[in-house]
Amino acid sequence: MGDMLGQVLVKLGLVSEQDICSALSEQMSIRFLPLAAYPEEPIIIEGLSQDFLFSNNVVPVSKTETGICFAASVPQDAYVNKALRIALGCPVELCIGLDADISSALQKYLQVADDAVESDEVVSDSFAGDDEFIEHLKDLASEAPVIRLVNQIIHKALDLGASDIHIEPFDDGLHLRYRVDGVIHEVPDPPQLSLAPAIASRIKLLAHLNIAERRLPQDGRIMTRVKGHELDLRVSTIPTVHGESIVMRVLDRQSIQLSLDKMGFSQDTLSRYRELLDRPHGVLLVTGPTGSGKTTTLYASLAAMDSQSLKIVTVEDPVEYQLRGINQIQVQSQIDLTFGKALRSILRQDPDIIMIGEMRDTETAQIGVQSALTGHLVLSTLHTNTAAGAITRLEDMGIERYLITSSVNGVLAQRLLRKLCQKCRIPVELTAEVIETSGLGRFMQSGQTVYRSCGCSECQGSGYAGRTSIHELFVMDSDMHKAILSGSDATTLHTVARRNGMITLYEDGLRKVAQGVTSLEEVIRVTQDQGSEDVVA
């Protein structure tokens, strides 16, 4: 895995970071610094580069006449030890500390250091013209404090395991928020509002956006490497009354699991889904709201196929992950390379399997259906709340019912829900009434014990760590064909599917509650739009 043994053991969840630090402290006779040993006020060392501290994850914790003590995540690193002694010209002691504690101390260090040069960073409104203002922003975005601040914002996202970074200017200040496991968390001490233009300019420069355009939305991409992780940041900016609001979608290429077996599928659902993937032609749709993991499921589906013996072509906007042996096309709207135009071209490329990033208009849907009818397997996503809703959505897009029944093999609805932290989850004994009203009874193997969230240092007090998926697989059969051709609405189609054995999103979530993977409250939160009707049904 390219890391030291202790780091690998922590990543695999076999031991805690605290245990590794304690063992290393004893083995190498190096002091271990708990959180209480870090100073309240950061110790600023003149002549010491902040870039060096951040890149090597080392921070000063005490300074005496005899020398300076540092906390480091890798104190045995001879390079760091020698570099500090040469730069400071005094004895240096390196102690071992937890990554989270060091990162927190570095954040305080950065804020205090930046306050010292704050007067140089304030954006003035008294410039003679717009060109001069833009040049000032470019200069400001290239200054070391702003570069460090943006880097720190991105590093924090990796430390938290965040999927999105939100930088939003309001009248009461700049709000910095991270979406972790689907839930937004606000940072206690965000940067000052006066730095918002400089931060926006720095991010736009990295994403190759037009730094002079502050009145129109822009989209871009940043490819960077942080702590050994290759990060792909999709940047979106929009103008608001208080300035530019920026959202960065964080894609960590190392954390992505392109394996259907590791994506939370229940065994019966997975076996039926694999059967649909093995069909030679037809349309297979994955539905759900934004951020529900639809594209990742499609990538995992493609990764499970034999790209050596099959010609697989994808059309995406954007291409999120590059897959070996698969031809991936990036939509370019600015040169009129749309989904429809790309699809018409790739049909002449003799593909076996076509993946469409999203069926977002009538033209794309029609070409997808026609491709399925002419012997291709078509995989795509659709924005609907339920699997049955995908059928009525296709009708709304102008696809005739007889074409739907002839081409669509099935629809997989998906949601992501948070997994309980295994360190602090608490067992709960449910009453017979709760088990009956929630519908848990049919999934409980023995007893009445489930688990609920609590909160600890491992999960940042949320009670949850990581996410898994729940699924609802809607398979087209003869009964479904009759219902569609008779003009049934989504509710009726859903009822027919349930009568034929479909497990709903809510019920799949209950299975994970019974297994101790998540809590009943989390399942209700994620599936509240359909949970009650499923229980009643």
Side-chain angles (χ1 to χ4, degrees):
M1 294 174 65
D3 286 328
M4 287 181 280
L5 177 61
Q7 295 172 331
V8 172
L9 293 175
V10 172
K11 285 183 179 179
L12 293 176
L14 299 176
V15 295
S16 69
E17 188 183 1
Q18 177 88 37
D19 293 337
I20 289 293
C21 287
S22 299
L24 288 174
S25 173
E26 183 178 347
Q27 180 184 3
M28 298 186 298
S29 300
I30 295 176
R31 279 198 300 145
F32 170 67
L33 291 181
L35 182 59
Y38 291 77
E40 286 293 329
E41 293 295 327
I43 298 171
I44 305 298
I45 309 294
E46 291 186 10
L48 193 58
S49 165
Q50 291 184 36
D51 290 337
F52 176 83
L53 297 179
F54 280 105
S55 60
N56 293 284
N57 216 30
V58 58
V59 65
V61 293
S62 66
K63 182 179 180 181
T64 63
E65 295 180 356
T66 58
I68 303 174
C69 177
F70 291 84
S73 57
V74 189
Q76 66 269 36
D77 191 330
Y79 161 74
V80 174
N81 201 322
K82 184 176 181 180
L84 286 172
R85 282 190 286 107
I86 293 174
L88 300 176
C90 66
V92 169
E93 180 189 7
L94 286 180
C95 300
I96 192 167
L98 297 178
D99 278 342
D101 297 343
I102 295 173
S103 296
S104 177
L106 283 172
Q107 178 70 24
K108 293 181 181 178
Y109 190 100
L110 175 69
Q111 290 174 350
V112 170
D114 285 351
D115 286 345
V117 293
E118 180 184 337
S119 58
D120 296 330
E121 301 170 351
V122 176
V123 178
S124 173
D125 293 326
S126 59
F127 294 106
D130 196 48
D131 290 341
E132 188 176 346
F133 178 70
I134 292 169
E135 286 302 317
H136 177 79
L137 285 181
K138 286 183 178 180
D139 293 340
L140 199 58
S142 302
E143 290 183 1
V146 175
I147 293 174
R148 285 194 298 268
L149 183 54
V150 171
N151 288 343
Q152 186 67 14
I153 290 172
I154 296 173
H155 283 218
K156 181 76 171 178
L158 184 63
D159 293 338
L160 293 175
S163 61
D164 298 88
I165 306 170
H166 296 253
I167 305 172
E168 305 157 314
F170 291 100
D171 56 352
D172 61 341
L174 188 66
H175 292 205
L176 175 60
R177 305 192 292 175
Y178 295 90
R179 187 180 294 277
V180 182
D181 293 336
V183 178
I184 287 185
H185 301 270
E186 187 154 355
V187 173
D189 299 311
Q192 297 179 1
L193 182 60
S194 59
L195 288 175
I199 292 172
S201 298
R202 175 63 185 167
I203 293 172
K204 287 161 75 175
L205 281 175
L206 292 174
H208 304 290
L209 301 179
N210 183 0
I211 194 173
E213 183 56 75
R214 292 171 289 147
R215 301 163 299 172
L216 294 174
Q218 295 188 71
D219 295 301
R221 196 169 191 169
I222 301 173
M223 305 287 287
T224 185
R225 190 172 181 87
V226 177
K227 297 181 180 179
H229 292 250
E230 287 187 10
L231 294 188
D232 185 353
L233 305 174
R234 283 160 50 186
V235 181
S236 172
T237 71
I238 58 171
T240 69
V241 293
H242 298 292
E244 285 185 288
S245 174
I246 299 174
V247 175
M248 291 186 280
R249 168 68 59 88
V250 183
L251 300 172
D252 184 356
R253 295 179 180 273
Q254 286 185 218
S255 67
I256 188 69
Q257 292 184 341
L258 297 181
S259 171
L260 289 173
D261 295 319
K262 298 179 181 179
M263 298 191 66
F265 276 94
S266 300
Q267 198 56 48
D268 56 342
T269 304
L270 179 58
S271 61
R272 287 189 295 151
Y273 182 68
R274 286 188 185 276
E275 289 175 7
L276 296 178
L277 287 176
D278 290 337
R279 294 190 183 182
H281 54 80
V283 176
L284 180 55
L285 297 171
V286 181
T287 73
T290 301
S292 59
K294 301 185 298 298
T295 304
T296 304
T297 297
L298 286 185
Y299 275 130
S301 302
L302 294 177
M305 296 175 176
D306 183 7
S307 60
Q308 294 289 331
S309 59
L310 295 170
K311 171 81 169 184
I312 304 175
V313 184
T314 74
V315 185
E316 307 168 61
D317 184 22
V319 174
E320 295 185 5
Y321 299 101
Q322 296 177 16
L323 303 176
R324 180 182 296 274
I326 294 176
N327 300 276
Q328 296 173 268
I329 300 173
Q330 167 84 48
V331 170
Q332 304 280 356
S333 56
Q334 63 270 25
I335 58 173
D336 200 30
L337 179 57
T338 61
F339 276 106
K341 182 170 289 189
L343 282 171
R344 283 194 296 272
S345 298
I346 66 175
L347 288 174
R348 295 190 286 271
Q349 291 277 313
D350 186 30
D352 296 297
I353 298 168
I354 301 169
M355 194 270 268
I356 306 171
E358 181 188 344
M359 282 191 180
R360 57 177 65 169
D361 54 46
T362 299
E363 182 187 18
T364 305
Q366 288 177 341
I367 297 175
V369 168
Q370 290 166 6
S371 302
L373 293 173
T374 53
H376 304 89
L377 180 62
V378 179
L379 310 181
S380 186
T381 68
L382 205 59
H383 284 280
T384 61
N385 290 327
T386 63
I391 304 300
T392 54
R393 177 79 179 109
L394 288 176
E395 287 187 38
D396 293 340
M397 295 170 75
I399 308 300
E400 298 291 342
R401 290 178 190 144
Y402 70 89
L403 290 177
I404 294 174
T405 57
S406 303
S407 60
V408 177
N409 293 336
V411 184
L412 180 75
Q414 178 171 309
R415 296 288 191 282
L416 293 178
L417 48 75
R418 295 178 293 172
K419 296 192 294 186
L420 285 168
C421 174
Q422 298 297 307
K423 299 282 187 182
C424 65
R425 64 176 187 171
I426 299 175
V428 179
E429 292 288 331
L430 297 180
T431 64
E433 181 183 359
V434 172
I435 291 177
E436 182 180 356
T437 55
S438 65
L440 262 172
R442 58 185 286 201
F443 304 110
M444 301 290 285
Q445 298 295 328
S446 60
Q448 298 176 310
T449 303
V450 297
Y451 293 87
R452 68 174 177 85
S453 61
C454 177
C456 64
S457 58
E458 291 281 335
C459 59
Q460 310 291 328
S462 68
Y464 298 92
R467 287 191 290 179
T468 188
S469 52
I470 53 176
H471 304 90
E472 174 180 293
L473 185 58
F474 179 96
V475 180
M476 299 289 279
D477 53 24
S478 57
D479 290 341
M480 198 58 63
H481 288 168
K482 293 176 184 176
I484 294 172
L485 291 173
S486 66
S488 300
D489 60 11
T491 303
T492 305
L493 296 178
H494 183 80
T495 303
V496 173
R498 292 205 64 204
R499 194 163 56 235
N500 291 346
M502 182 182 77
I503 298 295
T504 66
L505 288 168
Y506 177 72
E507 289 169 335
D508 198 31
L510 291 181
R511 288 202 275 202
K512 288 182 168 54
V513 173
Q515 295 165 2
V517 175
T518 190
S519 65
L520 184 59
E521 294 82 6
E522 176 68 4
V523 171
I524 293 173
R525 180 186 73 86
V526 172
T527 64
Q528 57 188 331
D529 57 336
Q530 63 157 345
S532 58
E533 67 183 52
D534 284 338
V535 174
V536 173

